[in-house]
Amino acid sequence: MDVRTDIAGLLAGPTGLDPAAIRDLLETPPDSRMGDYAFPCFPLAKTMRKAPSAIAAALQDLIPAGVSWLDRTVAVGGYLNFYLDRPAFVRRQAEEARQAGDRFGASDEGRGRTIVVEFSSPNIAKPFHVGHAFSTALGQSLYRIHAHLGYHVVRMNHLGDYGTQFGKLISAYRRWGDEAALEAAPIAELLRIYVRFHEAAREDPALEDEARTLFRRLEDGAPEEIALWKRFRDLSLKEFGRVYDRLDVAFDNDNGESFYGPMIPAVVERLRERGLLEESEGAFVVRLDDLGLPPCIVLKSDGATIYASRDLAAAIWRKEQYDFDRNLYVVGNPQSLHFQQVFAVLEKAGYAWASTCRHVGFGLVRFPDRKLSTRSGDVVLLDDLLQECRAATREIIDRNAAERGMNWDNDLKDDLSERIGIGAVIYTFLKNSRDRDIVFSWDDMLDFDGETAPYVLYTYARARSILRKGEAAGVLPAWSDHPSAALAADDEMALARMLEGFPDMVRRAAESCEPYLLTRHVTAMARSFNKYYNNESILGAASPELVRARLCLVDAVSLSLRVGLHLLGISAVERM
Ligand code: ARG
């Protein structure tokens, strides 16, 4: 339940407006002395043929007395201002959160609906770079957010496991492959021989022909080539799996592009039947001129299939397999044209569900200070990023522990640096709207006072420590009707309002596929909590009843921080 809905309920009759419209109109006055919510009467002036100030006054007379959660209403100018019964409001919001626990903000509004979320999608035998990391962080969060809202979510990893480069890899492996190195660090080894192949092919162009032949053999199902390809795939997946484990990411399905190869002839047939296929310089394309898009190439001049045709087949397969209500592709913005073309072709081919496919794009990742060491030219690998972030976090933890005279053992410090370090990376990806480019800088990411994961995590740990201290002293959270236990301070009100807004923020993040809305909400809540903590003594409050009531609020805030972080893909730590 939220107060906006309550207020809308009170005003619906007198205004004749739809409750949803009233909800949207409600404003939060800039200064809480002007009320907790304000209803602007200006939009009603025309239909009611009255001045807004007169409407506000008239509405005020129509608000019934004795509404439990309302203290009073005041008409000022064209606004009707609502003053909540603060203690009742704070208690209600905190209690709602505490009752819900880890399901705070959850709902079943998605029940019976299926969402496919494709994310991560690295290329096998190639490094898992930060672009894939961005997709992984976003996709994981979108998965958790939708699951929280009761959707059935299918997580797909659309592995790049197909293409002419595998001919090159097979050729390179037979010439220069080092078995032991492949076992020890598969992707590094595959990358090494791949680079070597390109160097050698510059001297000896015949190698390219050999690679093409080998790729053909692979496509035709030659057992030896298939076996090698499969080995490269398995080893790569194993290596990716280590990163996924660290991030607590899993997939329901990792069919790669190769899986859809055999389905392409049927897709091509359908396009041909519908008269959509045109020959152009030997290749087959679907023209999209009417939509102002370049033609989508479906078959290359040598008859080979390409990326787009595999995506057409994959979308159709997903629909048949899962009957999704929404099909999301969490892939970088540079591929936006590709997805526009794929969706347009599906539409033209008569698949009405094409409109439920959506490209969830994101910006570039930049490293301005470039302090990061990379193993492979100019791509930054997620592995390196996590490693360095963890090491940088460890330094800070060591320093903090020394300053605070904490005697933490190494295991604890290791665990903390791993979790905080990973949290810091994920947070950085999900801090701003996804279209914005991301700038990685250690100083910003690990600033314990900034907009960062360490800041929010630290706040959570602090809240938990207050609860632990209370518990150790036998003081547990509890409400009381005693007047001294009323929570009505501005700081308490601010926290209660953030609790109130939390479920709505989860919903909005899902709708817009923008987890940053939650990142902001959680961070703002942490900020408010720290302000509260600095202004009021929680365990040292004036009466035992007040201590217990405040502990209830601390409990509610801490659990909503934990849930919010979880929905972002970050796991909270109990102490730090
Ligand atoms: N593997 C591709 C890459 O690394 C991303 C795949 C995107 N997904 C898709 N359905 N095309 O660029």
Side-chain angles (χ1 to χ4, degrees):
M1 202 50 202
D2 72 352
V3 171
R4 283 173 182 272
T5 308
D6 293 340
I7 295 178
L10 287 183
L11 289 175
T15 58
L17 289 176
D18 183 48
I22 300 174
R23 256 185 124 260
D24 289 343
L25 282 173
L26 285 175
E27 294 173 14
T28 301
D31 179 342
S32 66
R33 276 171 304 188
M34 293 157 68
D36 299 303
Y37 286 96
F39 177 70
C41 300
F42 310 94
L44 292 173
K46 240 201 179 129
T47 46
M48 292 193 160
R49 293 168 190 276
K50 262 204 262 183
S53 54
I55 299 175
L59 283 178
Q60 191 195 1
D61 289 338
L62 293 172
I63 301 288
V67 175
S68 66
W69 47 269
L70 195 58
D71 185 53
R72 65 204 139 95
T73 53
V74 179
V76 183
Y79 287 95
L80 181 58
N81 294 339
F82 290 78
Y83 291 78
L84 302 180
D85 176 336
R86 288 185 161 202
F89 176 72
V90 175
R91 180 168 172 170
R92 182 170 92 169
Q93 296 310 326
E95 208 39 39
E96 243 172 54
R98 297 181 69 220
Q99 303 268 307
D102 282 323
R103 290 197 36 83
F104 183 48
S107 76
D108 61 1
E109 63 189 68
R111 194 168 47 201
R113 295 209 284 152
T114 296
I115 300 219
V116 170
V117 184
E118 182 214 292
F119 64 106
S120 200
S121 309
N123 304 315
I124 69 165
K126 291 257 185 72
F128 192 108
H129 59 69
V130 287
H132 299 126
F134 199 163
S135 168
T136 308
L138 260 174
Q140 169 78 345
S141 177
L142 291 175
Y143 153 65
R144 286 193 175 167
I145 290 171
H146 281 98
H148 207 58
L149 295 175
Y151 291 90
H152 169 229
V153 190
V154 181
R155 295 161 295 178
M156 300 212 56
N157 197 355
H158 190 75
L159 292 172
D161 62 358
Y162 195 83
T164 45
Q165 73 269 27
F166 291 103
K168 297 178 186 173
L169 269 177
I170 292 171
S171 157
Y173 184 73
R174 287 184 176 153
R175 278 162 206 274
W176 311 293
D178 173 341
E179 196 48 33
L182 186 68
E183 283 294 331
I187 292 176
E189 171 63 3
L190 291 171
L191 199 65
R192 180 188 73 83
I193 60 174
Y194 190 66
V195 169
R196 178 140 182 204
F197 179 91
H198 277 271
E199 283 163 7
R202 244 182 315 202
E203 307 287 308
D204 178 7
L207 279 177
E208 297 280 359
D209 293 328
E210 180 185 304
R212 256 190 294 277
T213 312
L214 287 169
F215 179 59
R216 266 262 167 263
R217 288 177 56 78
L218 182 63
E219 278 200 298
D220 295 341
E224 280 166 35
E225 279 72 23
I226 293 266
L228 261 184
W229 167 84
K230 210 174 159 312
R231 184 125 188 272
F232 298 157
R233 189 183 194 278
D234 291 347
L235 286 170
S236 303
L237 261 184
K238 212 163 125 197
E239 197 166 326
F240 297 150
R242 274 206 294 277
V243 172
Y244 292 141
D245 284 348
R246 283 179 83 178
L247 300 176
D248 200 14
V249 166
F251 296 92
D252 301 299
N253 183 314
D254 54 21
N255 290 343
E257 290 182 37
S258 64
F259 177 81
Y260 305 101
M263 303 165 201
I264 290 175
V267 177
V268 172
E269 207 27 57
R270 169 135 177 172
L271 297 175
R272 206 187 297 278
E273 268 168 25
R274 304 226 159 194
L276 293 169
L277 224 49
E278 266 183 46
E279 204 174 332
S280 162
E281 293 162 30
F284 282 95
V285 305
V286 175
R287 291 209 165 278
L288 302 169
D289 305 15
D290 55 329
L291 298 164
L293 295 172
C296 180
I297 306 175
V298 178
L299 285 176
K300 281 199 281 199
S301 47
D302 61 1
T305 65
I306 64 166
Y307 190 52
S309 30
R310 291 191 284 280
D311 259 325
L312 293 171
I316 296 165
W317 184 84
R318 287 178 199 180
K319 184 65 188 179
E320 282 168 1
Q321 189 73 14
Y322 302 113
D323 194 21
F324 55 72
D325 295 277
R326 251 174 143 197
N327 178 21
L328 308 179
Y329 296 83
V330 186
V331 182
N333 282 336
Q335 296 197 31
S336 135
L337 178 62
H338 163 74
F339 286 109
Q340 285 177 50
Q341 292 176 300
V342 168
F343 302 159
V345 172
L346 290 170
E347 184 92 52
K348 280 188 190 291
Y351 296 109
W353 49 263
S355 61
T356 62
C357 297
R358 176 169 176 194
H359 173 216
V360 178
F362 54 83
L364 300 173
V365 186
R366 293 188 288 126
F367 293 84
D369 38 356
R370 244 26 207 102
K371 267 182 259 151
L372 206 79
S373 57
T374 67
R375 274 178 286 156
S376 65
D378 49 53
V379 290
V380 178
L381 310 188
L382 178 59
D383 235 5
D384 294 340
L385 184 62
L386 293 182
Q387 229 44 49
E388 295 211 13
C389 199
R390 179 190 165 132
T393 309
R394 178 62 192 254
E395 273 176 36
I396 297 176
I397 290 178
D398 281 339
R399 210 180 324 123
N400 285 357
E403 269 168 24
R404 284 154 53 196
M406 299 288 226
N407 204 357
W408 285 347
D409 66 32
N410 270 332
D411 283 353
L412 177 63
K413 287 199 233 173
D414 281 347
D415 182 52
L416 279 179
S417 11
E418 168 81 1
R419 298 219 260 164
I420 298 169
I422 288 177
V425 171
I426 296 176
Y427 186 101
T428 305
F429 282 124
L430 304 182
K431 182 174 163 182
N432 290 308
S433 92
R434 52 190 161 75
D435 276 331
R436 295 246 313 254
D437 289 354
I438 302 258
V439 180
F440 266 97
S441 125
W442 296 138
D443 292 345
D444 294 347
M445 286 165 69
L446 295 175
D447 179 355
F448 275 54
D449 288 318
E451 280 176 38
T452 62
Y455 176 74
V456 180
L457 288 168
Y458 186 66
T459 308
Y460 172 75
R462 168 179 271 176
R464 298 290 296 169
S465 128
I466 297 169
L467 291 163
R468 274 196 306 271
K469 271 193 204 136
E471 199 176 333
V475 186
L476 296 177
W479 298 107
S480 142
D481 292 324
H482 195 280
S484 78
L487 303 185
D490 281 352
D491 289 344
E492 288 159 340
M493 195 59 192
L495 285 169
R497 293 199 59 162
M498 287 182 182
L499 291 170
E500 181 199 16
F502 185 89
D504 215 35
M505 209 52 82
V506 178
R507 228 170 283 132
R508 283 178 51 199
E511 225 164 65
S512 57
C513 294
E514 286 284 21
Y516 90 94
L517 292 170
L518 262 177
T519 314
R520 296 254 164 110
H521 197 79
V522 163
T523 309
M525 200 176 231
R527 225 170 264 297
S528 284
F529 180 78
N530 282 314
K531 189 160 161 268
Y532 180 48
Y533 176 87
N534 289 328
N535 288 345
E536 315 282 344
S537 165
I538 292 161
L539 290 170
S543 77
E545 288 82 6
L546 184 57
V547 173
R548 289 182 204 275
R550 284 185 173 166
L551 285 177
C552 288
L553 184 58
V554 173
D555 189 30
V557 169
S558 74
L559 85 84
S560 64
L561 289 177
R562 181 174 68 232
V563 173
L565 287 168
H566 173 79
L567 294 178
L568 294 171
I570 300 173
S571 69
V573 293
E574 293 300 309
R575 53 188 96 217
M576 69 188 257

